[in-house]
Amino acid sequence: MQILFLVLSGVLILLSLLPFVRCQHWIFRVAEFVKLQLLVFQVPVLAWGFYLLAESPWIWAIQIVQALLIAYHVFILVRYTKFWRKDKYEKGKDASDSIKIISCNVLQFNKEHERFIDLIRKEQPKIFLTMESDAVWEKALRVLESDYPNVVKVTLDNTYGMHFYTKLKVNKSQIHYFVADDIPSIEVELETEDGHRFVFFAVHPPPPSPTEEENSKERDGDLLSVAKKVRDYKMPVLVTGDFNNVAWARSSILFKKTSKLIDARIGRGILSTFHANYWFFRVPLDLLFHSPNVFIDKLFIYPSVGSDHFPMGCTFFIDRYSDEQAEDIEHLEQGEMSEVNELIVEGREEESDNRK
């Protein structure tokens, strides 16, 4: 029993400590994703350890480390619960009408197109975004174009295609390739029926994993390039998509600080979106950040549409800049902008190296 306890404790402690290492290899970065799962395992293992203290008093050392890591995980995760929720903001008389967005990594190889189309027809969002949408998906989604006349299409068959549809007025749009010429981001300046303008940014960088990218350099470089671009925008900004990252990861924190945006999940729930087929290993990869003049009414996850990601929905409105909401902005500390610039350069160099 002692051996099993030591093995379990060792694995849990190791996985908890790996994210503290500033290495971009997937082994260290993927460990960031499973913080909630680690917590679920660590609590009973800690309780089990107290029964073994009589056999080996030195197990106290393991217990102390395990308890400290549990406290750390709770400290990070509690802000994604309603215990962290602030009072609801009251809309001003000049605020925009409510706007609904649906964003979904539809899975390029998912052939159940009608399930997603039915969701859009039922929910009638003002904006919807698809990721991993190729030419087959583009063709399937044409039935919605009569309701969504303003479209930005980036049709790719490398699982990084992206399609943006809206009922709102599009003032201008641009497709960016920040670190690689096959990894797009979409930037659109929109205008509501009541005259409010805002910028919508859609992202989908590659994940660090044993089956895709060996490290997180391209992901981090791409996301931080977006963060630097929107940092000084005067208009309201909303950035969403499949970040292939979790909100509490170091690079996500740098994204939030650099962009001067607010994490919409704070006080609303972890809201895991991936993997739709394995409930215990679900993590929140589809994120949403917004400026202090964008106010989130609701953030929610829809049922499966056949993809490995659940669709994510959001309703929000635009109002005057809120000093109270701006208190949630975290600022870069000394040396962190240099770190951001270095990660962007490394992301671009990684793409160049991959082409050699």
Side-chain angles (χ1 to χ4, degrees):
M1 294 293 286
Q2 267 195 52
I3 293 175
L4 179 58
F5 170 77
L6 292 173
V7 170
L8 286 175
S9 297
V11 170
L12 292 170
I13 290 170
L14 177 63
L15 289 174
S16 297
L17 293 175
L18 282 177
F20 288 99
V21 180
R22 298 279 183 90
C23 175
Q24 291 175 286
H25 193 278
W26 68 265
I27 289 176
F28 299 93
R29 301 286 59 89
V30 169
E32 292 176 310
F33 295 177
V34 292
K35 190 176 292 294
L36 179 60
Q37 287 82 355
L38 287 173
L39 179 61
V40 169
F41 278 116
Q42 282 175 310
V43 170
V45 170
L46 179 71
W48 183 21
F50 287 114
Y51 287 99
L52 300 176
L53 288 176
E55 299 177 29
S56 300
W58 57 265
I59 288 178
W60 270 113
I62 293 175
Q63 292 291 85
I64 291 171
V65 173
Q66 199 83 272
L68 289 173
L69 289 171
I70 288 172
Y72 172 72
H73 293 324
V74 171
F75 172 75
I76 297 298
L77 295 174
V78 72
R79 65 195 66 192
Y80 300 97
T81 69
K82 293 184 179 180
F83 294 110
W84 214 263
R85 193 75 177 267
K86 290 187 175 182
D87 292 337
K88 193 171 182 179
Y89 179 84
E90 295 295 329
K91 291 180 70 170
K93 62 179 181 179
D94 297 323
S96 74
D97 292 334
S98 183
I99 302 164
K100 181 185 288 186
I101 291 174
I102 293 178
S103 117
C104 183
N105 181 325
V106 294
L107 184 64
Q108 181 174 303
F109 310 104
N110 174 19
K111 303 304 180 185
E112 299 180 75
H113 307 116
E114 284 301 319
R115 293 177 69 177
F116 181 74
I117 292 169
D118 289 344
L119 174 67
I120 298 301
R121 283 175 168 162
K122 176 184 176 183
E123 294 296 317
Q124 288 294 306
K126 293 289 186 182
I127 301 165
F128 74 88
L129 169 72
T130 63
M131 292 152 287
E132 286 203 28
S133 39
D134 59 0
V136 177
W137 267 99
E138 180 181 314
K139 182 178 179 181
L141 293 171
R142 284 176 191 162
V143 297
L144 296 170
E145 291 185 14
S146 58
D147 292 329
Y148 295 86
N150 299 318
V151 183
V152 180
K153 301 179 180 181
V154 190
T155 309
L156 300 171
D157 61 2
N158 63 349
T159 72
Y160 290 99
M162 187 179 286
H163 290 70
F164 170 88
Y165 299 77
T166 184
K167 298 179 179 182
L168 301 178
K169 178 183 178 183
V170 174
N171 290 330
K172 58 183 178 181
S173 64
Q174 187 175 359
I175 300 167
H176 300 281
Y177 297 90
F178 289 114
V179 297
D181 59 11
D182 59 351
I183 306 294
S185 299
I186 295 176
E187 179 183 7
V188 188
E189 182 187 310
L190 298 168
E191 187 171 337
T192 66
E193 295 92 334
D194 44 15
H196 290 267
R197 292 189 301 153
F198 68 99
V199 173
F200 180 94
F201 230 112
V203 300
H204 182 206
S209 78
T211 58
E212 297 210 32
E213 297 294 327
E214 185 180 77
N215 57 59
S216 66
K217 290 181 179 180
E218 285 191 28
R219 181 199 68 185
D220 297 343
D222 190 75
L223 291 175
L224 292 171
S225 295
V226 173
K228 283 191 70 176
K229 186 162 184 62
V230 305
R231 177 178 175 82
D232 296 315
Y233 279 15
K234 303 303 180 186
M235 274 188 291
V237 177
L238 189 146
V239 181
T240 192
D242 177 3
F243 276 58
N244 275 313
N245 206 4
V246 287
W248 50 80
R250 169 69 180 170
S251 52
S252 285
I253 300 299
L254 284 176
F255 173 89
K256 181 168 60 173
K257 290 181 175 181
T258 305
S259 64
K260 300 179 184 178
L261 299 180
I262 299 164
D263 181 359
R265 269 181 171 75
I266 298 294
R268 293 186 173 87
I270 291 177
L271 300 173
S272 296
T273 57
F274 175 91
H275 194 289
N277 297 328
Y278 306 105
W279 68 268
F280 186 74
F281 293 101
R282 287 177 187 164
V283 291
L285 298 186
D286 299 84
L287 307 181
L288 189 148
F289 295 86
H290 62 92
S291 56
N293 36 17
V294 171
F295 298 84
I296 308 299
D297 274 330
K298 294 180 181 178
L299 187 68
F300 41 87
I301 306 302
Y302 288 104
S304 173
V305 290
S307 172
D308 51 356
H309 285 247
F310 294 109
M312 184 174 73
C314 171
T315 57
F316 69 96
F317 62 90
I318 299 166
D319 204 347
R320 63 187 180 277
Y321 187 94
S322 166
D323 291 332
E324 182 181 356
Q325 189 164 229
E327 292 175 1
D328 292 333
I329 295 175
E330 297 181 27
H331 300 281
L332 290 168
E333 298 175 10
Q334 186 175 1
E336 287 186 332
M337 182 55 85
S338 297
E339 182 182 353
V340 167
N341 292 330
E342 184 178 338
L343 289 170
I344 291 173
V345 170
E346 287 180 354
R348 292 170 180 164
E349 290 176 346
E350 180 71 10
E351 167 62 11
S352 299
D353 292 343
N354 290 339
R355 291 185 175 276
K356 291 179 182 179

